[in-house]
Amino acid sequence: MLSTLILMFTTLPDAHSAETLSRAALDARLAACASQLSPSHSIYHWQGELKHTNEVPLLFKTTVERAFELEKFIVENHPYQTPEILSWSATSSPAYSFWVNTETLRPTNV
């Protein structure tokens, strides 16, 4: 039987920022894994201007129980004024779900 996990996506200005945010979230047990994806080029409107920015996408794997805490953590520790944070549920194999749940176990609101 498949289990439900949360995937949470954000982008950062560089690999160092992505590494720093990843390690801090993992140390806090808010996610079991953070995958730094290949650098990307984003084009978007910001404060009335069209921006072109190189960014590093970061994908966290966490539990439903930790998702809100992880989102709050990203907002508080992200270098951007308005960070991109997208999340969605995904099904996973029982073994992977067990691993994610084990890696994120700790008392809530610690």
Side-chain angles (χ1 to χ4, degrees), residues 41-77:
H41 185 77
S42 297
I43 303 171
Y44 55 94
H45 284 106
W46 180 251
Q47 299 179 339
E49 294 182 36
L50 186 63
K51 300 286 187 175
H52 295 259
T53 307
N54 292 322
E55 297 181 297
V56 176
L58 190 58
L59 182 63
F60 290 100
K61 290 83 166 195
T62 192
T63 61
V64 171
E65 295 79 16
R66 292 282 178 247
F68 177 75
E69 288 179 89
L70 177 58
E71 180 180 347
K72 184 178 173 190
F73 181 87
I74 292 170
V75 168
E76 292 171 353
N77 293 280

Side-chain angles (χ1 to χ4, degrees), residues 82-99:
T82 306
E84 172 184 18
I85 302 172
L86 306 172
S87 62
W88 60 96
S89 14
T91 54
S92 74
S93 68
Y96 189 79
S97 182
F98 178 80
W99 175 76

